[in-house]
Amino acid sequence: QVQLVESGGGLVQAGGSLRLSCAASGRSFSPNTMRWFRQAPGKEREFVAGIWWSGNTPYYADSMKGRFTISRDNAKNTVYLEMNNLKPEDTAVYYCYAEAGTSRMKYWGQGTQVTVSS
């Protein structure tokens, strides 16, 4: 009954910025953490950034620190990923992920394409 819907992907030139959104729908959605992953063609999915819900504490993959920022809007049940100084190497499908409730149920979004041109 919980659905994660992503938006905000698109084409951007190197050095530009983009903000992705992930909106959660469904009753009694109470995440422990929400995360962003990405997957480039021919590569495995990799962790990008996450946020611990209770403390509103962000955490990042080392390679993402300094350029990417994760944040949330509790009222809108939405998590964001702001990406700055984008590079062609950032080109990938970006996925939203959540773990929710005491059962630690896992949810995935459908993914949104980010393409960075030189």
Side-chain angles (χ1 to χ4, degrees), residues 6 35-48 64 92-98 107-112:
E6 301 168 5
R35 298 166 182 159
W36 289 95
F37 292 78
R38 70 184 186 185
Q39 187 168 21
K43 297 184 178 181
E44 293 187 353
R45 191 170 299 184
E46 66 173 339
F47 169 74
V48 174
M64 313 300 170
V93 177
Y94 284 71
Y95 296 91
C96 184
Y97 166 91
Y107 305 94
W108 287 93
Q110 80 287 350
T112 184

Side-chain angles (χ1 to χ4, degrees), residues 14-112:
S17 299
L18 208 60
R19 189 178 76 161
L20 307 182
S21 299
C22 174
S25 62
R27 299 185 183 91
S28 302
F29 182 66
S30 182
N32 303 117
T33 184
M34 295 189 70
R35 298 166 182 159
W36 289 95
F37 292 78
R38 70 184 186 185
Q39 187 168 21
K43 297 184 178 181
E44 293 187 353
R45 191 170 299 184
E46 66 173 339
F47 169 74
V48 174
I51 186 167
W52 296 108
W53 213 255
S54 294
N56 193 24
T57 304
Y59 52 100
Y60 303 91
D62 287 341
S63 60
M64 313 300 170
K65 292 180 179 178
R67 294 193 299 122
F68 291 6
T69 303
I70 189 170
S71 61
R72 74 182 191 191
D73 186 331
N74 288 22
K76 297 181 179 180
N77 297 118
T78 300
V79 65
Y80 305 95
L81 182 69
E82 183 176 349
M83 303 181 291
N84 298 309
N85 191 25
L86 284 164
K87 307 177 185 300
E89 294 75 26
D90 296 317
T91 296
V93 177
Y94 284 71
Y95 296 91
C96 184
Y97 166 91
E99 291 184 8
T102 56
S103 63
R104 300 179 66 187
M105 186 72 71
K106 298 176 174 63
Y107 305 94
W108 287 93
Q110 80 287 350
T112 184

